[in-house]
Amino acid sequence: MPNAAADAPQADFSSAQIARFFAAESQRFRATHPRCAALHAQAQRHFLFGVPMHWMADTPAPFPLFVDAAQGARLVDADGHEIIDFCLGDTGAMFGHSPAPIARTLAEFGAQGATTMLPSAVALEVAALLEARFGLPMWQFTATASDANRFLLRWARAITGRPCILVFHGCYHGTVDDTFIDLAEGGGTRMRASLLGQVHDLTPTTRVVEFNDSAALEAALAPGDVACVLTEPVLTNIGMVLPEPGFLQTLRALTRRHGTLLAFDETHTISCGPGGYTRADGLGACRTLGVESENVPQRGQFLPDSPPHGATMGQEAGKKWAAAAHSQPTIPKSDRLLEPDMLVLGKPIAGGTPGAAYGFSAEVGARMQAVKAAAAPGHSGIGTTLSAGLLTLRLMRTMLAEVMDGPAYARMFTTATRVAEGLQAQIAARALPWSVTRIGARCEVQFRPTPPRNGSEARAAFRNDLEAALQLALLNRGVLLTPFHNMVLACPAHTAQDADTLVAAFADALDGLAGA
Ligand code: PMP
């Protein structure tokens, strides 16, 4: 049931207060970033909105931060400021900028060819490393997670012969037009208004339901025409929406029952553990301090039933969260390993260079081979020239074998926990009706007293002016967050001091807002 308190009007800062504070912070940014301003002015001649990729202009600052260099958890901007980076390229640099093994791999192999359009032995090593972590035996590589999702959906439709896909309201899976469909306010679905240049109506073939709504999911799958459900195991692109206990298991059971493939997009949730959320969830790793996910859970390894939640905290739930955050992980019996048919990885897995992968079961692989063998020769619409290149695979091998390891995750979870607790303490001290949610190395502040249960609740909590004011204030205090929401990512190079600097900057920003 919707929580009445969560839906009540919020009382924190007035629009006028936010506007005054934002104006002062904008002035401060201008004064301290003359070279960024000059570069941005010059860049108008060459680039849309003065940036080489148009989203880079989506910043709360009056102009974007131009970056000179990035190392570990630090950026240096064109004006020479050192910034603690909790954005980490929106997960592309989840394990820090240029970790030493990646720099070494580039130096060692940079002169041995980047791309040949031929297979290599290193591809086999990468597949073995991926199977050990994610449990899926078969893999294909792409340049981006967007491509991986696009190709996965194409395969799913091809092998099932079904036209439809299903996604959850508020999802984001990259530039995959079929997933740009939302629930419409008056019922039904509609194309996302922001999608440019798509002239075909994709609503007849994309079903959308709310996350955590098992009944709607069952109804949408019942006609038997859905090839694939594509979802993040935790929605991370609309604020953060955790699965309710048992929801993912229900999703798995329903997709099996209706002959629908289940694909988890772990592009972001790889920050939950070495085997992503899919494998961390079985041990409750994402709901606790989480260092235990150093041990990749094995199938059938379960502990007794216990209260499964603990990674969220709102004002009322704060005490409960704090206790749970320090408790040992336990597995509810129902929380079986999730066993998706397909799984997507991207962003950080090639050390922040373009590279992504999708894995699938042997059974799905056999069906793919059969459908391709039976098809007319020629372009399949799946794959791109620069996919599975030699250098990309070497970088993936290094990331999987040397960087994305248990101790790295342990450090990330420790920092993220310190940040989450620190932010929550500041929120509680000011009695603000906001909540903090953490999974693994990722946490999110949402402007509602309890964490949202679905995409609609999460979207209703958006406060663009407040978010922009806070983000800009943090940047002026030397801390960068991801621009689209209040997400904090912790990498292995972050220190306790970095976490404390973030929390202190947040507290200072709140004081500034209150006094504006
Ligand atoms: N899947 C998810 C869950 C994402 O959040 C994103 C990007 N934010 C993508 C896929 C697409 O990644 P890319 O932009 O690297 O293709």
Side-chain angles (χ1 to χ4, degrees):
M1 292 296 288
N3 182 322
D7 297 326
Q10 306 203 346
D12 41 45
F13 303 105
S14 71
S15 309
Q17 247 178 330
I18 295 168
R20 280 194 296 273
F21 181 67
F22 184 71
E25 291 296 324
S26 299
Q27 207 172 8
R28 178 169 165 182
F29 186 88
R30 284 181 202 281
T32 49
H33 294 82
R35 186 157 151 71
C36 288
L39 287 171
H40 189 234
Q42 287 166 31
Q44 302 297 328
R45 172 179 166 76
H46 296 297
F47 303 132
L48 300 176
F49 310 104
V51 286
M53 200 268 290
H54 78 88
W55 312 342
M56 289 177 177
D58 290 351
T59 164
F63 42 83
L65 200 67
F66 280 63
V67 173
D68 274 357
Q71 220 305 302
R74 296 283 189 284
L75 298 176
V76 178
D77 72 23
D79 287 285
H81 306 111
E82 189 179 275
I83 293 156
I84 308 174
D85 184 6
F86 287 98
C87 164
L88 299 173
D90 191 24
T91 304
M94 190 74 234
F95 299 87
H97 297 286
S98 295
I102 284 295
R104 195 203 65 227
T105 303
L106 286 167
E108 199 176 340
F109 294 108
Q112 293 186 27
T115 186
T116 60
M117 231 178 68
L118 291 169
S120 57
V122 68
L124 284 167
E125 290 179 55
V126 172
L129 288 164
L130 290 169
E131 181 178 14
R133 275 168 195 252
F134 301 99
L136 291 167
M138 300 195 72
W139 295 86
Q140 291 282 278
F141 298 95
T142 63
T144 64
S146 296
D147 277 351
N149 283 318
R150 198 176 357 264
F151 299 153
L152 171 159
L153 292 178
R154 193 179 284 275
W155 279 120
R157 283 171 160 147
I159 67 176
T160 59
R162 297 177 173 192
C164 296
I165 64 157
L166 186 145
V167 293
F168 291 102
H169 182 62
C171 73
Y172 184 69
H173 298 284
T175 57
V176 184
D177 289 9
D178 300 75
T179 65
F180 278 49
I181 314 290
D182 290 324
L183 289 174
E185 263 149 41
T189 56
R190 62 173 166 83
M191 304 263 282
R192 209 164 278 179
S194 55
L195 178 61
L196 290 178
Q198 174 54 267
V199 296
H200 301 288
D201 179 8
L202 299 172
T203 54
T205 48
T206 298
R207 303 243 158 90
V208 185
V209 299
E210 292 281 16
F211 202 62
N212 285 320
D213 186 344
S214 303
L217 175 65
E218 171 132 52
L221 295 179
D225 56 358
V226 177
C228 179
V229 172
L230 174 63
T231 186
E232 293 185 275
V234 174
L235 299 188
T236 68
N237 279 287
I238 182 134
M240 198 188 285
V241 183
L242 295 174
E244 287 179 344
F247 176 68
L248 295 178
Q249 288 69 28
T250 301
L251 168 63
R252 177 63 285 191
L254 288 175
T255 45
R256 280 218 174 97
R257 185 180 311 155
H258 293 286
T260 297
L261 296 167
L262 174 60
F264 279 141
D265 180 353
E266 292 260 25
T267 303
H268 274 187
T269 46
I270 187 62
S271 54
C272 292
Y277 189 91
T278 308
R279 290 212 142 191
D281 188 54
L283 284 182
C286 293
R287 294 171 177 156
T288 67
L289 195 60
V291 289
E292 67 287 348
S293 68
E294 186 175 341
N295 306 312
V296 177
Q298 299 301 313
R299 267 183 201 151
Q301 184 187 334
F302 303 115
L303 296 174
D305 267 324
S306 70
H309 261 283
T312 60
M313 48 191 183
Q315 267 193 307
E316 300 129 304
K319 220 169 146 199
K320 193 173 145 217
W321 188 92
H326 293 98
S327 69
Q328 287 303 307
T330 49
I331 314 166
K333 271 186 200 134
S334 61
D335 245 5
R336 298 188 176 258
L337 291 176
L338 297 167
E339 296 181 334
D341 300 297
M342 305 166 104
L343 183 142
V344 165
L345 299 166
K347 301 202 189 184
I349 65 159
T353 69
Y358 56 105
F360 35 93
S361 66
E363 189 235 320
V364 168
R367 292 168 72 187
M368 288 173 172
Q369 283 173 183
V371 82
K372 172 65 183 142
H379 298 133
S380 61
I382 298 171
T384 59
T385 314
L386 297 185
S387 303
L390 198 50
L391 187 58
T392 304
L393 286 162
R394 283 180 163 140
L395 290 166
M396 283 186 191
R397 178 178 61 186
T398 299
M399 285 304 288
L400 292 165
E402 297 181 53
V403 180
M404 297 165 65
D405 59 11
Y409 276 97
R411 287 199 295 281
M412 291 154 74
F413 294 175
T414 301
T415 303
T417 302
R418 193 175 178 102
V419 168
E421 290 177 349
L423 296 179
Q424 176 60 24
Q426 295 302 329
I427 289 167
R430 291 163 179 78
L432 294 168
W434 304 349
S435 55
V436 180
T437 304
R438 179 186 71 85
I439 51 161
R442 177 179 298 263
C443 54
E444 178 90 29
V445 176
Q446 291 172 107
F447 302 129
R448 44 176 288 138
T450 54
R453 291 179 54 233
N454 56 42
S456 292
E457 288 188 3
R459 184 163 287 159
F462 280 8
R463 306 263 301 278
N464 293 343
D465 58 346
L466 182 54
E467 181 182 299
L470 281 172
Q471 294 219 353
L472 180 55
L474 290 180
L475 191 52
N476 281 332
R477 288 155 184 76
V479 172
L480 180 69
L481 300 198
T482 312
F484 315 113
H485 41 112
N486 294 312
M487 184 171 74
V488 179
L489 301 181
C491 78
H494 281 118
T495 61
Q497 176 63 49
D498 292 340
D500 295 348
T501 302
L502 165 56
V503 172
F506 182 71
D508 196 44
L510 294 179
D511 290 344
L513 264 168

